[in-house]
Amino acid sequence: MAPLLPRRSAKQPADHVVTLIGKPDCHLCDDARAVVLRLAEELGFSVEELDINEDKELFRTYWEQIPVTLIDGRQHDFWKVDPVRLRKALGA
């Protein structure tokens, strides 16, 4: 049976790692980076950036979706970072 109320992660926003997968000279990646870095400064989570051109597996998996955001290694979103959705996923 599904719970009546959605469960929130016991983690605090600062306990998470957000990974941004993108590439140089990508305006959507630049936009996503700006949102992620602004929220990281506010909420205290760690940010990791990966270049899709430097990893064949990342390229194979995500080439049509960049920029891609992962939270603690699990895909969260792609193409655009919605700050409200990201904040909610981080438990803020």
Side-chain angles (χ1 to χ4, degrees), residues 39-71:
L39 285 177
E41 185 175 316
E42 178 186 334
L43 301 175
F45 59 85
S46 299
V47 178
E48 171 186 43
E49 288 194 58
L50 301 175
D51 184 343
I52 198 168
N53 294 319
E54 295 180 7
D55 186 308
K56 290 179 184 180
E57 185 62 26
L58 287 178
F59 186 87
R60 185 188 67 72
T61 304
Y62 298 117
W63 71 275
E64 290 184 312
Q65 298 177 345
I66 62 167
V68 176
T69 51
L70 311 177
I71 298 175

Side-chain angles (χ1 to χ4, degrees), residues 3 9-10 18 28 51 64 67 84:
S9 169
V18 174
L28 291 176
D51 184 343
E64 290 184 312
V84 173

